[in-house]
Every structure is written in C-alpha cells, then in structure tokens.
Amino acid sequence: MKPSPRLCLIPAAVAAALTAAAAAPAPAADEPQRRVQVAMVNFTDSRIPDAGKLEIALKDNYFGSTGSLTSYYNEVTGGATTFKAAEGDGVTGPVDIDLAATGCDTGKINDLTRKALAAKGVPEDSYDHLSLVFPSEKAGCDWLALGTVGGGTTWMPIGADGKMSMTALVHEFGHNFGYSHHMRLRCPEGDLGAGCKEDGTSHKTPMGGGGWEAGLTSPELLHNKWLTGGEVGEVTKSATYTLRPLYGSGGGVRALDIPLGDDRLVVELRHKSGTVDGEIQGVHAYRVPEKDYTKSALIDPTPDADESTGGEAPADADALKAGATLTDKARKVEVKVVKAAADAATVQVSLDGVAAPAAPAKAAEPEPVRDEAATAPGDAAAPDDAAAPNDARPEGGSTELAETGGDSDTTLAYSIGGGLMLAFGGAFLLKSRTRRVATSSGRRSR
C-alpha cells in the first residue's frame, strides 16, 4: 500500500491485536536478561514448507554469536541487556492454529499461538518476548513486520525462501523497548526557534532507516538507562565538554543532556566501533519532547537538498562540523561545536545567556548522575526582540503497535479510542545508504 496521510483510521484486523497483546505485561525496561520465545506458526491453509531448515536459521537470527538480534543488543547496550532462549533453544513449533492465513489477523494469530504454546507446556510466564514467525504468501500482510511498543510481541512473516530481514527484526524489538519511529527535524542554520519542520527519517538508528548496522542514538540509550553516571553530562550551567564516541572504548562523557525549556537537547559523537556505525560519523544533536527520550528527533541544520542533485544528500551531511552552532534565542541556549574529530569532540554549551568557558576544565569532566526526579531549568525570559519559542517537536506517537514494511516511506499513526494506539512505518526501515528529502514540502512521501 502507499498511504499518504499521517493520520488515518486503523485497520480492524490489526486493531484486534491490541486486546491480546496488551494482556501480557511488558518486560521491565531495565531487565538485564530477556527471555525470547520464537514460535513457528502453521495456518489451516498455509504451512511452513521446511520447518527444520527454518528452525536452524531462526536460532542463528535470534541467538547467534554474531550478526543476530542477541549480538546486536548485547553490543549497543554494552551487555547491560541481553536476550536468552526462553525454552530449550528458544524456537518452538511449528504450532498449528485453527485459523486461515488470509486476512493476516494479527490479534487471532497472537491469541491462538499463545494458547497452543501453553497446551504444549510453554506458559506465558516462561518468556518475556514472543516472536511469531509465519508464512506470508497467503496472509497478505501489508507490512514487513509488526511489534508492540513497550510490550513483548513481534509478528515476523517470512517468504517462501525463509529469509528474515535483520533490520526489521532489530527494529521491531526496538519497539518492544518503547522506541517510536525516529524522525528528522530540519532546522536551517541550526536555528531551533525559527520553525523547524519534520522532514523524513533520521538514518541514525534502526528505528529511523539507518539499517541494523547503525547503533541506537544516545536518547534511545538514555531511555533504557544504558548510558549512566559519568557517561552522561547532564548540563545545569554553561560549560565546555569533551565528548567521546558513543560506542567507543574507555571512559568519558558520551552524551550531553541539555535543558531546552520543557524539552531536552541531547548531543553525541558517533564513530565506527565494533560492528556498528560504520557509516555514521560526527557530532549529532536530537530534540527530546518533554523529556520523552523514546520520541527524540535528529536536528538537521542543513537546508533542503537541491533539486539539481536529485534530492540526494551525502551520508552525515547533517553532522555538526567544527564551528557549527545550534541556537534557541528565546530560551537563551547555545550549543557550539569547537572541535569534531573521530576520537573526540569539544562542545561549548551556554545557558541563560552565560557564555561557556573557552576550554574544558582541567579537572574531571562535569558528570552529574542522572536524576529522573530532577526538573529541568525553567524557560528563561525572552528579550523583546527574541523569536517566540519554537513548538516544532518530534511527533513520535504514543503507540501500542508499530509496523515495518509495505512500500510507503511515510510514517503513519493509527489510533482508536480507549487510550490504545497503533503507529505504522514504511519501507524507510529497510537499510538505506543515502537519504532522499522532499524539495517542496516538509515531509517525504511517495
């Protein structure tokens, strides 16, 4: 499908998944080890052709020592959270359910599979995540994969070849961790108070089209407390910091968490480390709406790509180079990149109109421990000639289910009553080496 509006009515078949998916409690965000149960599912009219071959592939995809769901999250979290097989080798089935594939009824697939697993001696309390793997041919799902946001269920249809998209797998488990689709705010010249506009996806995380070789962003890591203590410079006054690569070795500050009125501004340095971030380099900044780190968006200081180039921009053209400045005059906040190298960056942060010192303190870097109960400094009074505070924020979406796939690259949010919501994403979730931006509007669509 090629939907274009951002908000539209939810498909009834997918809405049905809410009741069953919400019934199981979501695993705690800081739980150090998560039990994953993978279930191969057969329908009455569609069956997995070679279950033995698929089981071997699934063990490798989910629990392999390299190039797997487990190895990815083990690396990006520094071992703080890992996955383990819930029962035996973690892969069960095929499980036969009394349901036709046609219609891709996600709610019934989830409910019937859980009941079938319980009948086979695999109760729901034996796993934190249930990943449903089923043949896609007759199901006709119009998405590549689906996952509960802040929950523990993923739906992973597979084709006749039995291959699975690792980007989709990592992405859907990212939704389980609570992450929204990761967007881009285009703020020309780094002016945060001049009408920043959402413009496609960030390409800095698997949650925003970065592919599964991209690491998570620092706001995503902050949400799950995978950056703590001295790794986080929580800025409370004007200061100059030395940033170390987000996934580098050794100690040091890896992210700056800066007050921006009711929001936060998070700054990081990215560089290749291990198997992640081979194509993501430099200093990047993210706006966090109302301290909700799951809904951050990349701040892109560049203008729209020129039509003469076909709308293509080189990788990391949005990185903040030495001399680049982000400014919010109304809130009297300025962030300036003094130095940007592969191994370190020097960043000056000025709050309340007080200039930052020229160099980092010779003593230990400011490294206040993150206090979730602490409140951010209030908005500073704007001078008469200052621009009004900009309300452009990442939309994110308080979601219950999130989708990967189809053939749209416009993010969609689907909502229903009762406080439960669905968010759907498009093909931007597949790995992309370059980004295409709209030249006539603030959003990208087909």
Side-chain angles (χ1 to χ4, degrees):
M1 67 179 179
K2 295 184 179 181
S4 57
R6 185 169 179 83
L7 297 176
C8 61
L9 295 176
I10 177 175
V14 182
L18 284 171
T19 301
D30 57 354
E31 192 171 312
Q33 194 168 58
R34 296 184 170 208
R35 301 165 299 169
V36 178
Q37 183 65 63
V38 184
M40 296 183 289
V41 180
N42 281 335
F43 300 109
T44 55
D45 61 346
S46 180
R47 304 177 67 83
I48 294 171
D50 190 337
K53 181 179 178 180
L54 178 59
E55 181 176 2
I56 293 172
L58 292 176
K59 290 177 187 176
D60 187 54
N61 289 339
Y62 283 81
F63 308 111
S65 59
T66 60
S68 70
L69 175 75
T70 297
S71 68
Y72 176 84
Y73 278 103
N74 184 63
E75 182 170 1
V76 299
T77 71
T81 293
T82 60
F83 295 109
K84 64 176 289 188
E87 291 287 332
D89 58 15
V91 181
T92 298
V95 173
D96 296 320
I97 61 174
D98 187 18
L99 179 71
T102 305
C104 190
D105 191 327
T106 54
K108 288 184 177 179
I109 295 171
N110 180 32
D111 184 52
L112 292 175
T113 301
R114 289 177 183 269
K115 290 178 179 178
L117 288 174
K120 291 171 65 69
V122 185
E124 291 194 29
D125 62 7
S126 68
Y127 51 84
D128 303 303
H129 295 262
L130 176 62
S131 197
L132 304 156
V133 181
F134 53 91
S136 63
E137 184 177 4
K138 289 189 177 181
C141 306
D142 53 10
W143 33 263
L144 178 62
L146 185 69
T148 51
V149 179
T153 309
T154 53
W155 290 256
M156 303 297 298
I158 57 168
D161 59 5
K163 292 182 179 179
M164 178 178 289
S165 164
M166 286 304 300
T167 290
L169 182 59
V170 166
H171 178 100
E172 297 311 326
F173 271 76
H175 283 312
N176 282 181
F177 280 119
Y179 308 142
S180 299
H181 291 147
H182 202 262
M183 309 306 290
R184 174 186 304 267
L185 289 178
R186 191 173 293 279
C187 306
E189 304 303 323
D191 187 348
L192 304 180
C196 299
K197 295 181 179 180
E198 189 175 285
D199 188 6
T201 56
S202 71
H203 287 241
K204 299 296 175 286
T205 163
M207 306 309 296
W212 79 288
E213 289 92 344
L216 298 174
T217 64
S218 49
E220 289 165 336
L221 296 178
L222 284 167
H223 167 68
N224 290 106
K225 299 181 176 62
W226 291 329
L227 285 178
T228 58
E231 295 178 318
V232 184
E234 189 163 1
V235 181
T236 58
K237 63 181 181 179
S238 299
T240 298
Y241 292 81
T242 297
L243 272 178
R244 303 297 181 187
L246 188 61
Y247 293 105
S249 59
V253 176
R254 304 194 184 280
L256 299 179
D257 193 355
I258 304 164
L260 192 69
D262 292 332
D263 297 348
R264 307 295 290 183
L265 188 67
V266 179
V267 181
E268 68 186 17
L269 173 64
R270 301 285 283 272
H271 183 65
K272 178 177 174 57
S273 176
T275 67
V276 299
D277 286 358
E279 296 186 13
I280 301 180
Q281 308 289 317
V283 177
H284 299 280
Y286 306 90
R287 187 160 188 161
V288 177
E290 299 180 345
K291 303 179 187 178
D292 187 344
Y293 295 90
T294 67
K295 297 183 177 66
S296 71
L298 174 75
I299 299 295
D300 185 346
T302 63
D304 287 348
D306 194 309
E307 288 187 12
S308 65
T309 66
E312 296 293 341
D316 288 322
D318 45 37
L320 302 174
K321 309 297 191 296
T325 302
L326 302 179
T327 304
D328 189 320
K329 293 181 179 179
R331 296 180 174 92
K332 296 184 178 181
V333 175
E334 180 180 279
V335 177
K336 182 177 181 179
V337 179
V338 178
K339 172 188 173 184
D343 61 339
T346 303
V347 179
Q348 293 178 340
V349 182
S350 298
L351 300 182
D352 299 323
V354 178
K362 293 183 179 180
E365 291 285 338
E367 39 183 49
V369 176
R370 182 161 190 74
D371 182 2
E372 294 297 338
T375 56
D379 289 0
D384 292 340
D385 60 349
N390 173 41
D391 291 328
R393 294 176 174 175
E395 294 186 22
S398 177
T399 55
E400 177 64 23
L401 291 177
E403 172 188 344
T404 301
D407 55 3
S408 163
D409 34 34
T410 300
T411 299
L412 307 174
Y414 296 66
S415 63
I416 58 175
L420 296 178
M421 303 182 72
L422 299 175
F424 291 77
F428 68 81
L429 302 173
L430 297 179
K431 182 170 176 59
S432 175
R433 302 288 179 178
T434 59
R435 59 183 174 87
R436 179 174 296 276
V437 298
T439 56
S440 59
S441 67
R443 293 186 182 175
R444 182 175 64 175
S445 63
R446 285 184 183 178

